[in-house]
Amino acid sequence: MLRAMIAATLLLALPVATHAAGLKPKLDAFKAFARDYQAQNGVLSMSYAIAKDGEIVAAEGFGWMDHDAEEPTTADTTYLVASITKTFTAATLLAMDADGVIDLDDDFTTLSDWDERCRRLSVSGNIFGGGQMLAEGYRPPRIRCGARISLRDVLRMRVLGEPGTNFLYNPIVFGRLSNWVEEKTGVSFQRWMRHYVIDKTDLENIAAGWRDARGGHALRLLAPPFRYAPEERARFEPTALPNPELNGSSGIIASPRTLAAYSIALDEGRILPPELLREMWTPPQEANGSPASYAHGWWSQEWRGQRLVWHGGWWPEAYAGFLLKVPDKRLTLVVYGNTDGLHWGNPLGRAEIEKSAVALRFLELFAVESEDIALRP
């Protein structure tokens, strides 16, 4: 009986193992790179998962998820993934629109506290209110508090100046999408997100905010945040947990393995049908005819002729990481850590994930054809 059980277990594992076996040199190269990166860039706890053709082919964890080095990191260690939550919000709202629950052309500015919040944002000097020069030399227009802004404008991050015409990444306004949905439907945004995304795919080890009654396992495995200070005697200093409440912009708590399973579910049409998935990942055109850098809740760009969609997440001196997809290759990397050592400073006005050393190494290994480039040290 025991021999039969072992044989059955090996048989069930064979498809994943066989698929991963063909990628082994590249997986080994990425693992070595990731381990070095974790050690050299002050990421106390770092986890990643790689998915290819519907299978999770690698899932690793390095370091410790606590200050006393008693709890080793695994691929199931969870993190407050910050703005990766926006991808869940986008899928939820597109599905609600398709079902007629909401209309993405509805007026976002009917939100009860919008007038006061917009007024404060417009005079605050905050970059997300517009009017400030960006590092790349672009001065976005100020937000117009009397203008009509649609839900789609907010999903596309096109709320400054004439709504729908100017892109600037804007997590403050995006975050209020959850409040708008709750006011209009009388149902918590957590319930909508679970209904349209999380529960449709039976995702485990995930919480839609820290108040999610069904997210206890994710909360139990959470790696607390740290500040990395290499010049100080105590190189890692515990920091306060960032806002763990769920809103349109942030609040998902999950492991990289779970987010890789989420990515596979997107590819397989288990969250959105193909036409809505294409819509979510298709950016509008800028005035010069070029595609914008942001679609609906996802960054969008080309790299060496290949389409990339992705989202980063960053809480300063706490958490950082990203979810990167190469849709045409059914290829995904999710990586996260409990310091901000994975943050690469993507500009607010354009998508440049290749500036992340981890993302670039992954793309060189798995998204290009040249073995010479891929397997270099």
Side-chain angles (χ1 to χ4, degrees):
M1 177 64 73
L2 179 60
R3 183 175 299 175
M5 291 175 61
I6 293 172
T9 301
L10 291 175
L11 185 61
L12 287 171
L14 186 59
V16 177
T18 300
H19 190 79
L23 296 172
K24 189 175 186 306
K26 295 182 179 184
L27 292 173
D28 288 346
F30 185 80
K31 181 177 180 179
F33 174 87
R35 187 185 294 277
D36 288 345
Y37 187 96
Q38 180 259 341
Q40 295 172 13
N41 290 273
V43 188
L44 183 61
S45 174
M46 181 170 134
S47 308
Y48 74 83
I50 296 173
K52 172 65 176 167
D53 294 332
E55 302 285 357
I56 296 176
V57 296
E60 304 284 352
F62 308 119
W64 305 91
M65 56 181 290
D66 68 315
H67 190 268
D68 297 322
E70 294 177 349
E71 296 291 337
T73 297
T74 72
D76 295 313
T77 296
T78 61
Y79 305 87
L80 189 60
V81 301
S83 289
I84 293 176
T85 304
K86 293 179 176 67
T87 70
F88 286 73
T89 296
T92 300
L93 266 62
L94 263 72
M96 293 177 73
D97 175 79
D99 280 354
V101 180
I102 62 171
D103 187 329
L104 291 181
D105 292 322
D106 283 343
D107 186 356
F108 169 78
T109 68
T110 60
L111 183 64
S112 61
D113 64 352
W114 173 249
D115 289 344
E116 176 59 22
R117 284 182 176 273
C118 186
R119 186 194 66 78
R120 293 204 307 266
L121 182 61
S122 67
V123 299
S124 66
N126 188 302
I127 196 167
F128 301 118
Q132 291 193 41
M133 184 70 72
L134 304 182
E136 51 265 40
Y138 166 61
R139 186 187 299 275
R142 291 188 181 278
I143 195 165
R144 299 180 184 177
C145 294
R148 183 187 189 279
I149 302 172
S150 71
L151 299 180
R152 192 181 302 275
D153 293 332
V154 180
L155 276 175
R156 291 175 166 180
M157 304 282 190
R158 304 176 79 83
V159 301
L160 299 183
E162 182 65 29
T165 61
N166 299 283
F167 165 66
L168 186 74
Y169 183 75
N170 197 317
I172 291 179
V173 178
F174 196 105
R176 302 299 292 175
L177 285 168
S178 55
N179 301 82
W180 190 95
V181 168
E182 290 178 345
E183 283 191 6
K184 301 307 176 183
T185 67
V187 176
S188 74
F189 193 61
Q190 179 195 103
R191 286 182 60 187
W192 287 119
M193 186 179 285
R194 276 205 163 271
H195 175 71
Y196 279 110
V197 182
I198 298 174
D199 294 345
K200 286 175 69 173
T201 56
D202 296 321
L203 292 178
E204 299 178 348
N205 203 14
I206 185 169
W210 75 289
R211 298 183 189 276
D212 186 351
R214 297 166 60 191
H217 194 53
L219 299 177
R220 181 178 67 82
L221 295 175
L222 178 66
F226 287 83
R227 180 177 72 94
Y228 176 55
E231 71 284 355
E232 299 177 11
R233 179 175 300 177
R235 298 172 67 228
F236 292 100
E237 178 184 70
T239 56
L241 184 71
N243 180 13
E245 301 280 1
L246 178 68
N247 60 56
S249 278
S250 65
I252 289 289
I253 300 166
S255 69
R257 193 198 302 270
T258 295
L259 291 176
Y262 158 66
S263 177
I264 291 171
L266 284 170
D267 290 339
E268 294 179 346
R270 290 186 281 127
I271 295 176
L272 296 174
E275 63 273 15
L276 285 186
L277 193 64
R278 285 193 296 271
E279 180 180 350
M280 184 168 69
W281 288 340
T282 300
Q285 287 190 333
E286 299 291 10
N288 62 5
S290 65
S293 290
Y294 206 84
H296 297 80
W298 291 77
W299 290 91
S300 174
Q301 68 176 103
E302 284 200 359
W303 177 82
R304 298 189 186 180
Q306 299 189 62
R307 182 171 60 118
L308 309 178
V309 292
W310 59 273
H311 219 294
W314 174 47
W315 281 109
E317 297 189 341
Y319 296 105
F322 57 83
L323 188 166
L324 166 62
K325 293 178 65 64
V326 188
D328 296 337
K329 291 184 178 290
R330 299 185 69 198
L331 179 65
T332 299
L333 169 67
V334 185
V335 59
Y336 230 85
N338 69 337
T339 71
D340 58 8
L342 283 160
H343 180 61
W344 73 98
N346 192 82
L348 296 174
R350 62 178 180 270
E352 293 182 341
I353 198 168
E354 73 279 7
K355 297 295 180 66
S356 158
V358 178
L360 180 61
R361 187 67 182 120
F362 172 76
L363 291 169
E364 289 177 337
L365 279 165
F366 296 95
V368 299
E369 301 302 324
S370 171
E371 294 291 333
D372 293 337
I373 293 176
L375 294 178
R376 65 171 173 75

